[in-house]
Amino acid sequence: MLNPLTLPLSGSQLIEASAGTGKTWTIAALYLRLVLGHGGEAQGFARPLVPGEILVMTFTKAATRELSDRIRRRLVEAAA
């Protein structure tokens, strides 16, 4: 099973799974780790990334909206 808390943050990652398996939650968690700078150089980057430096792709407009909303909520929660 994929663990978003230990997945390396460097390079490209492909998450492919059936509906209802937690893809959106996992991608939002990975995005948050990148923005917060978790992992350090050993796991990916020497500094936190800004949203313009992160590329996330989905296959449908509905999935894009859901993912964008979920990421936005996670960032707001983390900032609070």
Side-chain angles (χ1 to χ4, degrees):
M1 181 172 172
L2 178 67
N3 183 345
L5 301 178
T6 59
L7 187 71
L9 296 176
S10 61
S12 298
Q13 304 294 332
L14 172 66
I15 298 173
E16 184 177 16
S18 300
T21 57
K23 291 182 302 296
T24 302
W25 188 93
T26 299
I27 293 169
L30 292 170
Y31 192 100
L32 187 59
R33 282 182 63 203
L34 289 167
V35 170
L36 294 177
H38 289 186
E41 288 185 64
Q43 289 263 340
F45 299 92
R47 62 175 176 76
L49 300 181
V50 296
E53 296 175 309
I54 303 169
L55 174 64
V56 178
M57 296 178 63
T58 62
F59 290 102
T60 66
K61 289 180 182 179
T64 299
R65 279 190 301 276
E66 180 183 349
L67 184 56
S68 294
D69 291 345
R70 183 87 52 99
I71 288 171
R72 196 172 292 111
R73 281 194 307 268
R74 302 274 308 255
L75 290 172
V76 168
E77 289 171 6

